[in-house]
Amino acid sequence: FDYWDCKKYEGSKYYNVETPLEKLPIYVKAGAIIPMQDEVYKDDNRPFGNITLDIFPGAKGTFNLYEDDGLSEDYTTGEFAITKVETSSSNNTSKISIYKSDGQYQVPERSYILKIRSDESPKAVSIGNKILNTGNQNQIVSGTEGWWHDSEESILWVSVNKKSDQQVDINIQ
C-alpha cells in the first residue's frame, strides 16, 4: 500500500511512481501494524496518553508493543512490558486483538485508537459481545470509546479503552 493514499500495489514488481519532494514514497506491507503516539518530551514528566495503531488490511499481522515509563532507566533492570497486537480477517469479519501486557512495568489504563484503512463502512464494531456506538472523529481520536468511518479518507477509526491486565478483542463486520 502507498502509505499516503492507500493505493494497492502488487508485490515483486517494478513501478514508476512520480513523487513530489514534500511527499516521501512510503510503502506498507498488507497486514502491517504501525504504532504511533502523541508527541511527548522526556522532560514533561507526564503520561504518554493514547496509542494509535495504523493498520493496513489484508494479511494476518502481528506486532509487539514495547513500553517503559519513558522517564527513568528502570528498563535496564527489567521494568518494561510487551503488549502483543494481532490482526486477522475471514468471512467478511476482521478481528484485532490487543493482548494482556506482559512484564514488570505496569502499563497505565489508556485508549487505543485504531486507524484501519478501509473503503467500506462496517455494519457493526464490537468488543467481545459489546456493540460500540458510532461517534465523530473528534470523539474517537480523543479516546472516547466507539467508532467512526471517514469515507473521504477511507479510514475506519475505532477507540477502545484497555487495562494492562485485560485482553481486548475488536470485531469488525
Side-chain angles (χ1 to χ4, degrees):
F1 290 93
D2 181 308
Y3 179 82
W4 305 109
D5 64 13
C6 224
K7 181 179 176 185
K8 290 182 184 180
Y9 290 92
E10 190 175 323
S12 301
K13 291 190 175 190
Y14 291 96
Y15 296 93
N16 185 17
V17 179
E18 290 188 34
T19 307
L21 290 174
E22 64 275 0
K23 180 184 162 192
L24 289 173
I26 301 173
Y27 297 94
V28 182
K29 188 176 180 179
I33 303 168
I34 303 171
M36 299 184 183
Q37 73 179 51
D38 300 330
E39 188 173 316
V40 175
Y41 298 99
K42 186 174 180 177
D43 59 358
D44 277 352
N45 291 329
R46 63 185 179 120
F48 288 131
N50 301 332
I51 299 288
T52 300
L53 300 173
D54 202 346
I55 299 172
F56 289 79
K60 183 176 180 176
T62 301
F63 178 77
N64 289 321
L65 178 65
Y66 169 93
E67 297 182 88
D68 60 38
D69 68 11
L71 301 171
S72 70
E73 294 188 17
D74 290 347
Y75 65 91
T76 61
T77 59
E79 286 287 325
F80 62 87
I82 304 289
T83 305
K84 181 179 176 182
V85 180
E86 194 171 67
T87 64
S88 60
S89 297
S90 66
N91 301 331
N92 296 328
T93 300
S94 295
K95 181 178 179 181
I96 300 160
S97 297
I98 305 172
Y99 292 88
K100 294 177 183 180
S101 299
D102 185 33
Q104 293 180 21
Y105 173 66
Q106 182 66 40
V107 176
E109 181 176 348
R110 66 157 54 103
S111 293
Y112 284 83
I113 299 166
L114 311 178
K115 181 181 177 184
I116 305 160
R117 307 308 175 108
S118 175
D119 292 333
E120 297 179 20
S121 183
K123 295 176 186 165
V125 178
S126 62
I127 299 174
N129 294 327
K130 176 185 169 189
I131 303 289
L132 294 180
N133 294 323
T134 57
N136 62 47
Q137 184 178 16
N138 291 333
Q139 291 171 319
I140 303 307
V141 298
S142 69
T144 301
E145 201 166 71
W147 67 274
W148 175 72
H149 186 261
D150 182 345
S151 55
E152 264 185 48
E153 297 291 327
S154 295
I155 296 173
L156 170 62
W157 294 91
V158 179
S159 179
V160 297
N161 299 319
K162 180 187 172 307
K163 295 179 182 176
S164 65
D165 64 346
Q166 73 179 144
Q167 177 175 328
V168 175
D169 295 313
I170 301 104
N171 298 299
I172 303 165
Q173 299 174 338

